[in-house]
């Protein structure tokens, strides 16, 4: 599968989040061409501020592998990660993260800073943004327009 195909699956999960009244962000973890973890934003539903899409997908992948280290795994997420999610990706040893839309307010994979580039980190994650950026940004715009 291509990066766009994995991002389309993450986008489908973002749509599920929107339908549940959550900020529409979805994520998948991929190992050797197979999706091994999926997640979408659920902080409201779960009463859990850490239940971001990336965290949910990382948790599912770790359960699938029976290991908290996700070596050689890639993560696809519809929105640029926040600081908390970057930390989780580093601790999980994610190889590469692909994101859709930029998050100019709190994105730390290029917008506000690039947390992945901090020299003190013991693991460095490659990052690539802009995968299906238009679609990923549009669902967020529509979601927030309805809430105003």
């Amino acid at each position: 599968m291509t990066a766009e195909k994995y991002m389309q699956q993450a986008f489908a999960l973002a749509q599920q989040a929107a339908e549940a009244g959550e900020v529409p962000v979805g994520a998948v973890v991929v190992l050797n061409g197979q999706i091994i973890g999926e997640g979408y934003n659920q902080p409201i539903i779960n009463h859990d501020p850490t239940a971001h899409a990336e965290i949910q997908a990382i948790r599912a992948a770790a359960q699938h592998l029976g290991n908290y280290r996700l070596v050689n795994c890639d993560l696809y997420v519809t929105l640029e990660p926040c600081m908390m999610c970057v930390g989780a990706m580093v601790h999980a040893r994610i190889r590469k993260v692909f994101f859709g839309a930029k998050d100019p307010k709190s994105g730390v994979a290029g917008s506000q800073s690039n947390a992945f580039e901090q020299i003190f980190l013991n693991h460095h994650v490659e990052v690539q943004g802009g995968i299906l950026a238009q679609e990923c940004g549009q669902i967020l715009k529509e979601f927030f327009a309805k809430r105003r």
Side-chain angles (χ1 to χ4, degrees):
M1 287 176 87
T2 64
E4 289 80 17
K5 293 289 185 188
Y6 294 122
M7 191 63 75
Q8 287 171 350
Q9 181 59 34
F11 185 80
L13 292 161
Q15 291 173 314
Q16 288 183 32
E19 291 166 8
E22 298 277 1
V23 175
V25 179
V28 298
V29 175
V30 176
L31 175 63
N32 298 325
Q34 298 294 319
I35 294 174
I36 63 165
E38 296 182 337
Y40 60 87
N41 268 4
Q42 298 180 46
I44 298 167
I45 295 167
N46 290 342
H47 311 288
D48 179 357
T50 69
H52 287 194
E54 300 95 312
I55 303 297
Q56 300 293 81
I58 287 170
R59 287 175 179 157
Q63 288 297 310
H64 176 83
L65 293 178
N67 192 339
Y68 74 105
R69 298 283 195 211
L70 303 179
V71 177
N72 296 318
C73 291
D74 297 328
L75 189 145
Y76 295 78
V77 61
T78 57
L79 182 64
E80 181 180 357
C82 71
M83 185 63 80
M84 175 184 70
C85 292
V86 166
M89 290 176 210
V90 169
H91 286 293
R93 303 299 194 263
I94 294 290
R95 178 176 55 189
K96 188 168 184 176
V97 61
F98 299 85
F99 70 85
K102 287 189 171 282
D103 183 351
K105 292 183 180 178
S106 60
V108 293
S111 289
Q112 287 297 321
S113 68
N114 190 338
F116 291 114
E117 293 179 344
Q118 299 302 311
I119 59 171
F120 62 83
L121 294 175
N122 62 349
H123 175 74
H124 295 275
V125 179
E126 292 181 57
V127 63
Q128 180 181 339
I131 310 294
L132 301 181
Q134 179 70 25
E135 297 91 327
C136 294
Q138 188 62 36
I139 193 173
L140 288 158
K141 287 177 189 170
E142 290 171 7
F143 176 82
F144 287 113
K146 288 178 186 174
R147 299 184 77 84
R148 291 188 183 120

